[in-house]
Amino acid sequence: MTRRRTPIRLLLLALGTLGLAATACAGGGGPGQDGEGGSAGGAASGTVRVAHVPSTLFAPLYLAQAKGYFKEQGIDVRLQKVKAGQDAVPLAAYGNVEAVVAGFSAGLFNGVSEGLKVKVAASMGASTGEDPSPTALEVSKRLADSGKVDDPADLRGRKVAVAGGPGAAGGYQLDVILRKSGLRLKDVKVVNVPIPDMRTALADGGVDAALPPAPFTTAMEEAGVAEALAVPPKGTVATGLILGSDFAGMDTSAKFLAALRKGAADLQGKGRTSPKNVGILAEATGQEAGVLRKTPPYQWSPRLTVDERQLSKQQDAYREAGLLKGEPVAIEDMTR
């Protein structure tokens, strides 16, 4: 029998992701407690702990930190790296961090359905719909040159690499790409492959296609391993800011969002590629500034508005793929 991942089990998995299991046990930071790991020791004192996987998707966060926008609001933001943002969401629910920037996964919808106390407070990097794109469906050069795959519809029954598997944010992005060609997520074999390993998987024939973000797209194309097949439609967004419900109701969260929006305002127009901003993002993500300058940027709403329409479509895609349990979640109950 498959064991259900209850909110408590999700928390324990998330604590392992962040390496906080011992802290939570020693400090009483588990569910319903106000120990050192809980929200009483964080936001109440003006400190906001943010779990993140370094990515240009979350550029407003890094700009707000580097430019002092959080300090202007009188808050101390502490970034904590995690292996997988979607697995860290329960940490926000139980006060081990105040916020998580991550992809909106099937696990988020299942968690909220089972009582996980979190709120989606902002949508982050959205697709431009342009080619080149910050995210692209890349097909093996071998298959492209053979003529066997020249449209996403030709991927029916084939293996497609998505970091985190079909229930990850990338699974939704793949679904919206496939829909333009009459397919659905369930019509391909989604394989969970870490983004840095996708190039090798394509070269070795382990997968037929992959959905990496830039600059990995550019790297595999320049290496002659893959070529772009399609990109997500303009406005496709599957990532954002998730807050613990308790923190979402505090004044500190409003200040945190105000600083983030100031960071997003700096990314409008030419700000997306300005040398100063690119330098900040290079330092925050560990990528070379020269690589980022060649990387197609995402786009951000200046107000970081939650795109409830995209959240609804995402939930529908996961449900159609058989990845969700229970009744559908009311999107308005997930947002602020």
Side-chain angles (χ1 to χ4, degrees):
M1 179 182 296
T2 302
R3 298 182 66 180
R4 288 173 63 87
R5 291 187 174 183
T6 64
I8 298 296
R9 284 175 53 75
L10 286 170
L11 172 64
L12 293 175
L13 287 170
L15 290 173
T17 297
L18 194 55
L20 290 179
T23 301
C25 292
Q33 299 181 36
D34 289 326
E36 279 185 14
S39 58
S45 62
T47 299
V48 179
R49 298 157 297 180
V50 184
H52 74 119
V53 175
S55 169
T56 55
L57 280 164
F58 312 125
L61 173 67
Y62 308 128
L63 264 60
Q65 181 79 317
K67 295 184 177 184
Y69 298 157
F70 293 124
K71 289 185 177 180
E72 289 177 1
Q73 295 289 334
I75 55 179
D76 176 22
V77 168
R78 300 181 183 180
L79 304 182
Q80 301 185 4
K81 292 182 182 179
V82 294
K83 296 177 182 177
Q86 62 190 30
D87 295 336
V89 172
L91 295 175
Y94 296 123
N96 294 97
V97 298
E98 281 66 53
V100 179
V101 286
F104 303 141
S105 67
L108 172 63
F109 292 96
N110 282 328
V112 172
S113 177
E114 294 174 354
L116 199 64
K117 302 298 183 182
V118 293
K119 293 287 185 180
V120 175
S123 292
M124 283 280 186
S127 298
T128 62
E130 301 171 354
D131 188 7
S133 167
T135 299
L137 178 60
E138 299 279 339
V139 64
S140 161
K141 194 72 165 58
R142 166 180 49 83
L143 286 175
D145 289 346
S146 70
K148 293 181 179 179
V149 176
D150 59 12
D151 184 270
D154 298 326
L155 292 175
R156 182 185 295 272
R158 292 187 177 274
K159 295 180 179 180
V160 181
V162 173
Y172 170 62
Q173 292 177 309
L174 175 59
D175 183 81
V176 295
I177 292 173
L178 293 174
R179 284 175 183 267
K180 293 192 297 182
S181 296
L183 300 186
R184 299 291 188 270
L185 193 59
K186 61 185 179 182
D187 294 322
V188 299
K189 298 175 182 177
V190 178
V191 182
N192 181 4
V193 179
I195 292 170
D197 298 336
M198 288 182 179
R199 175 173 161 180
T200 300
L202 284 165
D204 294 347
V207 297
D208 301 306
L211 189 76
F216 295 93
T217 47
T218 304
M220 60 178 62
E221 289 170 13
E222 291 181 347
V225 170
E227 65 179 51
L229 184 64
V231 302
K234 181 179 180 179
T236 301
V237 58
T239 64
L241 173 69
I242 301 167
L243 306 178
S245 293
D246 289 344
F247 175 61
M250 295 182 179
D251 290 341
T252 308
S253 71
K255 296 177 180 179
F256 178 68
L257 279 167
L260 276 180
R261 288 168 180 152
K262 195 169 181 179
D266 288 351
L267 288 162
Q268 304 306 305
K270 294 182 179 179
R272 293 195 299 160
T273 55
S274 77
K276 181 176 181 179
N277 289 345
V278 168
I280 290 172
L281 296 180
E283 183 174 355
T285 62
Q287 299 182 37
E288 295 183 5
V291 173
L292 288 183
R293 281 193 289 271
K294 295 191 300 181
T295 299
Y298 294 93
Q299 60 185 17
W300 296 265
S301 160
R303 296 292 298 167
L304 294 180
T305 306
V306 177
D307 193 328
E308 295 190 353
R309 180 172 174 271
Q310 284 286 310
L311 275 174
S312 181
K313 291 176 64 177
Q314 193 167 1
Q315 179 174 216
D316 291 343
Y318 290 145
R319 186 167 295 281
E320 186 175 338
L323 300 170
L324 300 184
K325 301 169 285 190
E327 294 298 317
V329 174
I331 299 301
E332 57 270 21
D333 291 342
M334 295 178 64
T335 59
R336 291 173 62 86

